[in-house]
């Protein structure tokens, strides 16, 4: 509604204004056309990913690349697409570790504005301390052994924090499903060109329920939001993972 | 003129102010010295690239890396160096696909300000729909076959959008020469460390008329605007391409 | 003090406000918890790096990734941790070359605000021209020969600027110790995923006095500020360097 729009705009005094369609048209009518046709009219309508998944992937890409200008729009679209405030809160926290603390901190004031506008208070957010999901002890022991062997001789601190903070805490927080944590992690790796970490996380994502078709469509979706070169560089790595799983 | 400067500053309410030389001097007189001597006094004067090409490369690097703070200055310098409003409009649209939609959207309000300041209206911009350049059917069929084979098994959506949106539409828009599209694509790949995509695009750039000397100087220019590590990482890939072409 | 805080906030009119703890809590209590416990309470207290080194590394990562939102906080923390204004000035200048001019320019107004707030004037900053450190002629000749051979055929301009501006000038400026220049260069390479340039610079860093334990802890520290994927991708390269040095 226009009242919501006004409230949204009024609540963004400390950041750059989101670009308007009029602004885009004043610089590039072609870009405006691509946004309404190829992106909103085609990409977002494709059935290979639900609108909810597309919103989760888009938030991940924007936060992981520190592209704050489009975040106000996509935070609101995510809420409209049934991504819950709890999930948005956890997405931001997860990406603090998978793309850097500053990326999460840059998203915070914009998410706060969207939450205030929608009347979302503390009771709708996951607390800092809560009952964690049960851990898969065997899988964690295997992961820890591999990391101890490869990372231990270089950085004992990195080994410790990876176990204590990430795999025995962050990944077990219950308000974002493991499949969705994997979805945003894979989207982040593609969006930032970090292909060396893809084999572990794409395998984990598929173990967590991401399908082959969804993984391929994530790559296409990320192409628009993080650029074609990152999407194309992810393809051969994804192909190797799929082959190794017999797909 | 100072009237123009004032107008430019007044039209930037929604973004960070461009840094002034006084600000740089208040923090790092050395940086100020390098900017006036090594960069403006030496790099920009070198004949291996025209000022117009240097402006195109600089705009590409700043947009592709989301470095909005220096864009107001370089949008104006580009116009002074005979980059046309049509070309700037197309550069922003092209980089939406080669560096991500959010990068283009972040450039939009800054370009709008520069256009308003210079009295550039819609009649000087390319429309969304127009007569495309003729396509090289043989080269496109070859490209499509390679992508279908390598990308098709992973992401049919990426194959489709690459053909429909990029190679049968964006690259054929007439208001930015193919050679200049290649120039900004190569500059973007160097600036973002995306060396895996360089062989295809550096070959295409040279097919489109970029010379060996120009390609080398682009690397030196990008070093200043995207950092030495990205420039150095591009060199061995460029060397392989040049060798494969018999240079 | 609250007077200082007010002055700090008043002097930041042209940038995004630094996020407050209240803002983080309004979006992600979990992130707030990780920041106070895992990061400030654990990481920053570890003895493998001094608080001064952690501040230098953090500044480098934030500037090199253009994450301006946390810079106001960490510029002040750096001054509190005995990083001198001269060193901050040189860090910004050094990173203009190792991460791109726009990154340095984005840091300039924030550093200026911090300097004004702390009463730091021009007399506490290194001038543009000064007596350089003596050069190690043999090491420089060896470096120049390698670069001439590898880069010369592609980009003579890059060879020239690398020698004249970087290794015969920037690296010899006396107000940032060579060991600290190496520290920020290595942190930048890890933070931006530029592993191809790590063998040269990690070797140089250890030649300049960075220890094996410190290098490993830099990787752990950078994980929090630039994300786990970049830290993990640096590990195998660092392991190779350490092995080649007999560690």
């Amino acid at each position: 509604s226009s009242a919501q729009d006004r409230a949204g705009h009024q609540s963004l005094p400390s950041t750059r204004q989101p670009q308007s369609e009029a602004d885009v048209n004043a610089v590039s009518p072609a870009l405006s056309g691509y946004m309404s046709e190829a992106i909103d009219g085609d990409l977002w309508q494709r059935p290979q990913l639900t609108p909810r998944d597309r919103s989760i992937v888009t938030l991940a890409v924007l936060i992981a690349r520190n592209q704050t200008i489009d975040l106000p729009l996509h935070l609101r679209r995510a809420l409209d697409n049934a991504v819950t405030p709890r999930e948005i809160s956890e997405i931001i926290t997860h990406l603090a570790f998978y793309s850097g603390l500053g990326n999460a901190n840059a998203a915070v004031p914009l998410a706060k504005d969207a939450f205030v506008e929608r009347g979302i208070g503390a009771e709708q957010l996951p607390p800092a301390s809560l009952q964690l999901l049960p851990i898969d002890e065997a899988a964690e022991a295997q992961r820890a052994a591999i990391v101890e062997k490869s990372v231990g001789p270089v950085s004992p601190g990195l080994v410790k924090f990876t176990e204590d903070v990430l795999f025995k805490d962050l990944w077990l927080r219950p308000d974002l499903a493991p499949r969705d944590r994997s979805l945003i992690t894979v989207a982040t790796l593609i969006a930032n060109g970090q292909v060396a970490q893809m084999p572990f996380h794409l395998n984990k994502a598929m173990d967590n329920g991401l399908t082959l078709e969804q993984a391929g469509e994530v790559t296409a979706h990320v192409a628009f939001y993080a650029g074609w070169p990152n999407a194309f560089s992810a393809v051969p790595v994804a192909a190797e993972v799929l082959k190794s799983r017999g797909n």
Side-chain angles (χ1 to χ4, degrees), chain A:
Chain A
S1 75
S2 68
Q4 264 188 359
D5 288 344
R6 274 200 309 279
H9 282 220
Q10 286 171 354
S11 63
L12 287 166
S14 64
T15 184
R16 294 178 291 182
Q17 298 278 337
Q19 83 298 343
S20 69
E21 196 182 329
D23 276 5
V24 179
N25 264 310
V27 170
S28 173
L31 179 57
S32 183
Y34 287 124
M35 287 168 71
S36 59
E37 288 165 34
I39 299 179
D40 288 339
D42 188 347
L43 178 73
W44 279 79
Q45 310 306 321
R46 287 167 59 85
Q48 290 83 354
L49 284 174
T50 63
R52 179 185 172 277
D53 279 352
R54 291 190 187 276
S55 270
I56 287 174
V57 167
T58 308
L59 284 183
V61 172
L62 295 178
I63 295 170
R65 288 164 53 86
N66 214 14
Q67 294 187 315
T68 49
I69 201 167
D70 286 344
L71 260 184
L73 168 70
H74 282 288
L75 285 161
R76 286 157 181 80
R77 186 184 285 190
L79 291 166
D80 293 339
N81 283 338
V83 184
T84 68
R86 287 175 180 275
E87 289 168 335
I88 290 175
S89 177
E90 291 291 327
I91 288 169
I92 292 171
T93 304
H94 191 93
L95 293 177
F97 295 99
Y98 280 91
S99 67
L101 178 60
N103 296 54
N105 281 339
V108 157
L110 305 176
K112 185 190 165 207
D113 289 335
F115 285 180
V116 168
E117 179 192 320
R118 300 284 177 110
I120 296 161
E123 76 288 354
Q124 294 188 52
L125 301 178
S129 294
L130 39 58
Q131 176 78 37
L132 298 176
L133 297 174
I135 195 165
D136 178 338
E137 298 280 6
E140 170 56 17
Q142 189 184 18
R143 185 209 61 73
I146 292 170
V147 167
E148 175 59 45
K149 192 177 169 197
S150 60
V151 181
V154 171
S155 180
L158 186 55
V159 173
K160 169 186 123 73
F161 287 118
T162 302
E163 176 167 334
D164 295 350
V165 181
L166 267 56
F167 286 95
K168 291 194 168 170
D169 191 350
L170 179 73
W171 276 87
L172 303 178
R173 292 181 55 84
D175 290 289
L176 187 65
R179 181 264 189 195
D180 294 338
R181 288 193 187 274
S182 277
L183 180 62
I184 62 174
T185 306
V186 168
T188 293
L189 295 176
I190 301 172
N192 283 331
Q194 294 160 327
V195 295
Q197 305 310 313
M198 272 189 66
F200 174 79
H201 279 292
L202 186 51
N203 270 305
K204 185 176 172 72
M206 298 184 84
D207 292 344
N208 281 337
L210 195 76
T211 68
L212 168 60
E213 187 182 49
Q214 289 169 343
E217 188 71 7
V218 168
T219 311
H221 194 95
V222 173
F224 284 93
Y225 290 94
W228 247 252
N230 285 323
F232 263 67
S233 294
V235 164
V237 185
E240 278 301 306
V241 170
L242 301 180
K243 198 169 142 191
S244 74
R245 297 176 71 92
N247 285 112

